[in-house]
Amino acid sequence: MSDNAANQGIPDPEGPANVIDTEYEIGQDNIETRLGPFNLDIHNPVFMVSGLTIALFTFLTMAFQNDVGPVFDTLRKWLTSNLDWFFIISGNIFVIVCLALIVTPLGSVRIGGKDAEPDYSYFGWFAMLFAAGMGIGLMFFGVLEPVYHMAFSSPLGVPSPFDGDGNLIEENVAAAKAMGMAATIFHWGLHPWAIYAVVALALALFSFNKGLPLTMRSVFYPIFGERTWGWPGHIIDILAVFATLFGLATSLGFGAQQANAGLDFVFGIPISTTAQVVLIIGITAVALISVLRGLDGGVKVLSEVNMLIAALLLLFVIIAGPTGTLVSDFGANIWSYAREIIPLSMPFGREDDGFRQGWTSFYWAWWISWSPFVGMFIARVSRGRTVREFVICVLIIPSIVSVMWMTAFGGTAIEQVLTNEASQVHEYVIASYSPELSLFGMLADLPMASITSFIGIVLVIVFFVTSSDSGSLVIDTITAGGKVDAPVSQRVFWCTFEGLVAIALLLGGGLGALQAMAVSTGFPFTIVLLMACYAIIKGLRDEPR
Amino acid sequence: MFNKILIPIDLKHADNLERAVFTGAYLAKQGDIPVVFAAVTTAAPSGLAHNPDEFRSKLAAYAETQAGKHGIQATGHAVFSHDPTIDLEDALLRAIQETGADLVVMATHIPNATDHFWPSNGGRVASHADVSVFLVR
């Protein structure tokens, strides 16, 4: 006999949930062994094939980068230019599916069973999903993108407010500014979060409600049936590991370059590969400490600290920047976004190829290539929420935060550019394109620049840590066949491996090439996500509501 | 001398823990002390169970089997952890609090080099618990 339910540590009761009846036992394909003093519990063949493929790709890219680099780059450009319609239509489908889930009765299904209770508070949950999936991007693109779209991209053919000589054309300013913000928010609003939400919801549903392992392949059980546990599933999981590790490692390499540029800008620390390698080692070391402290003691705490610092920086920019304009622009930007979201979502009948293919299509592929990692991490921490609550919190609230961030950082930068031709943002975005310095340029023209720039550098670094630690946990789980309690040495391995790949690519070349390759995985994963939409609806219809 | 004995158990590797279970059961029988088998699980499905309810049932069945086998009074107590790889000791310390056990009988491995980096679960429980801990190698 057991203690009564109320006396147990498990949230209770879990209530009815429609568990899938499969003969597959989680971990049945795993190899459990010891390597010296270390225990191993790894999925055969996902762990070995993923590790070896990644090592092989890294080596080949470094050894033959003049041959391999252009191939990967051409592949990425071909996909996002010729299949832009496919990415854009798919992105729209993901948003529509998510919005439909909010308003239909399917939204009342609870992740983890009818009576499951949430594992995390709203703040902890929200901090983790934001810090894992978008923090780095907001730091890099928050200033750059609004100014760039206003000045150069001409989304939907809206003309630039500058003439060929860089002089301001007053009558174009209002429309260009509104479109610059709308286009930026379009890339950081509902669409990317819908991509993450689809993957996260599918994984959470098939794991916590259906009892399947917490790994990408489980989403395909309604389609592949028992073949999910064979090679079709192996390939999906290997591709997820591949996209996640290369996505993280290449971002880490580029992030070290951005942080180094920031350190040079603020403290005069010269830009060098040595400094960048030291930064990668530092980021990886902190990420290692975080994963060794675990999901609650490391990843969650660091994410919360990160979000608090980011919120303080946001508040500072609002107060120190053109406060009145920013406050009124917040509503105006939401309105611009609402007005332009449908025209910007149109895949055909447009002439802004550079913007649509070079930015929108690229972004959708990028978000989708990150979705196995971010989606799986969100899934792991989302048990106990209803589908409606989940979609609102993963789709709507982060989109509003993105609007706030872009309004504050982008709006301040646009104001600086339009009112002062000698502004540093003008210098780094318009006059001489140095995107990695755009954030620091904007902060430099506000009070207390040295302090806020330092905080900016710290935030860039810590956002990389929060992506690196959560990414290591995700890869560890996938390569352990969906087990979340694999031996600690495995998460140490993946975290270290990611840092080593980043250093190898930084020193040997090939960061850009492998990032292009990682983004290219967005194409197969778009197909995966479309199937996931079907699986979600089918899976939810079987659940007790 | 003791009112309740807690024996941490890993249902997947229960065969490896027989010495600790035997020791705990022996002590329980001598003093007619109730035993609680504590096991840590995750919300995510595992090789043992699809969900926490199923895990709880399996643990209860294990406790019942041990009760019959050793002639003791035994119950199961499942503890939920977000990340049991790291938080196992914290979860077990919570189990001690929740069950009111005043003696822990726990299996532990022979010390090796890795203990300098990742101390053994038994060692950490013994270091942090405010009740008696009997480690069985």
Side-chain angles (χ1 to χ4, degrees):
Chain A
M1 65 188 153
S2 65
D3 286 0
N4 64 48
N7 197 25
Q8 304 216 358
I10 300 176
D12 59 315
E14 302 304 318
N18 193 10
V19 172
I20 286 178
D21 187 21
T22 170
E23 289 178 7
Y24 182 79
E25 185 181 294
I26 297 172
Q28 73 172 34
D29 295 329
N30 282 24
I31 298 171
E32 288 188 62
T33 185
R34 280 183 77 85
L35 191 66
F38 304 113
N39 289 316
L40 292 179
D41 188 354
I42 56 177
H43 185 276
N44 178 33
V46 171
F47 185 100
M48 293 301 289
V49 175
S50 303
L52 291 174
T53 310
I54 288 162
L56 185 69
F57 262 80
T58 306
F59 173 75
L60 289 177
T61 305
M62 287 192 301
F64 307 103
Q65 55 186 287
N66 291 335
D67 303 314
V68 172
V71 173
F72 290 166
D73 208 38
T74 305
L75 174 67
R76 200 280 294 162
K77 282 183 181 149
W78 188 87
L79 286 171
T80 52
S81 298
N82 291 284
L83 298 178
D84 57 327
W85 57 272
F86 177 65
F87 287 114
I88 290 174
I89 290 173
S90 302
N92 298 340
I93 290 172
F94 304 143
V95 174
I96 291 166
V97 167
C98 287
L99 294 176
L101 288 174
I102 295 176
V103 296
T104 60
L106 296 178
S108 57
V109 172
R110 190 173 288 278
I111 298 167
K114 200 162 186 289
D115 303 318
E117 291 178 8
D119 284 348
Y120 292 97
S121 67
Y122 277 115
F123 182 69
W125 182 42
F126 181 73
M128 281 193 282
L129 65 94
F130 216 93
M134 200 167 269
I136 303 166
L138 290 178
M139 296 301 292
F140 191 86
F141 289 101
V143 168
L144 173 71
E145 213 181 318
V147 177
Y148 192 90
H149 291 332
M150 176 193 73
F152 297 117
S153 301
S154 295
L156 299 174
V158 172
S160 167
F162 297 103
D163 65 17
D165 299 324
N167 301 312
L168 205 60
I169 308 168
E170 286 291 346
E171 62 266 30
N172 287 354
V173 168
K177 186 180 161 187
M179 180 53 81
M181 291 306 302
T184 305
I185 294 165
F186 177 62
H187 292 155
W188 297 85
L190 294 174
H191 283 76
W193 287 104
I195 289 165
Y196 288 163
V198 163
V199 180
L201 183 57
L203 285 167
L205 176 70
F206 282 91
S207 186
F208 293 126
N209 293 56
K210 309 290 185 188
L212 300 184
L214 187 62
T215 182
M216 276 304 288
R217 70 173 77 197
S218 294
V219 176
F220 294 92
Y221 191 84
I223 296 163
F224 293 151
E226 291 298 316
R227 282 179 298 157
T228 304
W229 318 121
W231 272 101
H234 298 338
I235 290 168
I236 290 167
D237 279 353
I238 290 165
L239 201 59
V241 174
F242 186 91
T244 302
L245 196 127
F246 276 133
L248 284 168
T250 53
S251 296
L252 186 57
F254 284 124
Q257 291 175 345
Q258 188 196 6
N260 194 184
L263 287 168
D264 178 44
F265 184 81
V266 180
F267 300 112
I269 295 172
I271 293 174
S272 67
T273 48
T274 309
Q276 289 158 18
V277 169
V278 168
L279 278 166
I280 293 174
I281 291 171
I283 289 169
T284 305
V286 181
L288 262 178
I289 294 169
S290 178
V291 294
L292 286 172
R293 287 186 56 81
L295 194 54
D296 291 353
V299 180
K300 180 164 109 28
V301 170
L302 210 53
S303 298
E304 288 175 344
V305 169
N306 214 0
M307 291 310 293
L308 280 174
I309 300 173
L312 287 175
L313 189 63
L314 177 67
L315 196 64
F316 169 81
V317 172
I318 292 171
I319 293 168
T323 312
T325 308
L326 296 180
V327 171
S328 62
D329 277 358
F330 178 70
N333 289 339
I334 290 182
W335 168 241
S336 299
Y337 176 49
R339 193 182 56 214
E340 305 295 350
I341 187 170
I342 291 176
L344 287 168
S345 302
M346 287 296 170
F348 304 113
R350 291 167 59 177
E351 293 176 357
D352 55 353
D353 289 357
F355 173 77
R356 194 180 71 256
Q357 297 172 351
W359 286 88
T360 305
S361 175
F362 174 81
Y363 262 125
W364 278 202
W366 185 21
W367 295 128
I368 291 167
S369 73
W370 274 66
S371 65
F373 147 47
V374 182
M376 196 163 139
F377 184 69
I378 295 174
R380 183 164 172 184
V381 296
S382 299
R383 182 179 166 277
R385 307 285 174 186
T386 64
V387 169
R388 186 170 293 115
E389 192 182 9
F390 174 90
V391 177
I392 288 171
C393 289
V394 176
L395 188 71
I396 308 293
I397 294 174
S399 296
I400 292 171
V401 172
S402 291
V403 176
M404 283 171 68
W405 188 275
M406 292 303 177
T407 299
F409 283 67
T412 301
I414 285 175
E415 202 67 16
Q416 289 172 345
V417 167
L418 293 176
T419 56
N420 178 13
E421 203 178 312
S423 69
Q424 304 218 31
V425 175
H426 190 285
E427 171 65 21
Y428 295 129
V429 180
I430 295 175
S432 61
Y433 188 62
S434 306
E436 70 279 8
L437 291 177
S438 55
L439 168 69
F440 303 110
M442 185 273 285
L443 293 173
D445 285 338
L446 295 179
M448 298 191 287
S450 55
I451 297 172
T452 54
S453 295
F454 176 71
I455 292 172
I457 294 168
V458 170
L459 265 178
V460 168
I461 290 172
V462 183
F463 270 126
F464 270 106
V465 172
T466 51
S467 287
S468 181
D469 57 12
S470 43
S472 302
L473 290 182
V474 164
I475 296 175
D476 178 34
T477 304
I478 297 174
T479 55
K483 283 187 170 184
V484 297
D485 57 352
V488 71
S489 49
Q490 287 170 219
R491 61 177 73 179
V492 171
F493 168 77
W494 286 114
C495 192
T496 311
F497 194 44
E498 179 199 315
L500 289 175
V501 170
I503 290 171
L505 292 172
L506 186 73
L507 296 176
L511 274 174
L514 271 175
Q515 190 176 53
M517 187 66 209
V519 172
S520 301
T521 62
F523 174 65
F525 273 118
T526 306
I527 299 167
V528 166
L529 262 66
L530 288 170
M531 290 197 268
C533 290
Y534 164 76
I536 288 172
I537 293 166
K538 190 169 187 303
L540 284 175
R541 289 181 65 178
D542 297 338
E543 283 296 305
R545 297 192 280 275
Chain B
M1 186 178 285
F2 295 106
N3 296 316
K4 193 180 270 187
I5 298 175
L6 184 138
I7 306 177
I9 194 85
D10 177 351
L11 285 179
K12 196 172 173 205
H13 299 108
D15 292 348
N16 300 340
L17 306 173
E18 272 187 358
R19 278 164 65 84
V21 173
F22 179 84
T23 307
Y26 178 79
L27 291 172
K29 207 167 179 180
Q30 300 310 306
D32 197 21
I33 307 166
V35 169
V36 181
F37 288 100
V40 180
T41 186
T42 70
S46 67
L48 284 164
H50 293 97
N51 52 46
D53 275 344
E54 190 180 334
F55 185 86
R56 194 163 50 199
S57 303
K58 289 193 173 180
L59 179 59
Y62 175 84
E64 203 168 304
T65 305
Q66 296 302 317
K69 184 175 171 185
H70 297 283
I72 54 173
Q73 187 191 341
T75 56
H77 184 90
V79 188
F80 173 83
S81 168
H82 296 141
D83 191 1
T85 303
I86 302 296
D87 295 333
L88 185 66
E89 299 85 20
D90 291 339
L92 290 176
L93 291 170
R94 210 163 71 230
I96 296 169
Q97 294 282 329
E98 287 168 356
T99 57
D102 50 1
L103 172 64
V104 178
V105 179
M106 185 171 178
T108 185
H109 64 256
I110 296 167
N112 60 36
T114 55
D115 291 340
H116 294 290
F117 307 101
W118 296 305
S120 68
N121 297 323
R124 286 197 53 181
V125 170
S127 302
H128 294 94
D130 53 7
V131 300
S132 300
V133 179
F134 186 158
L135 297 181
V136 181
R137 294 209 164 110

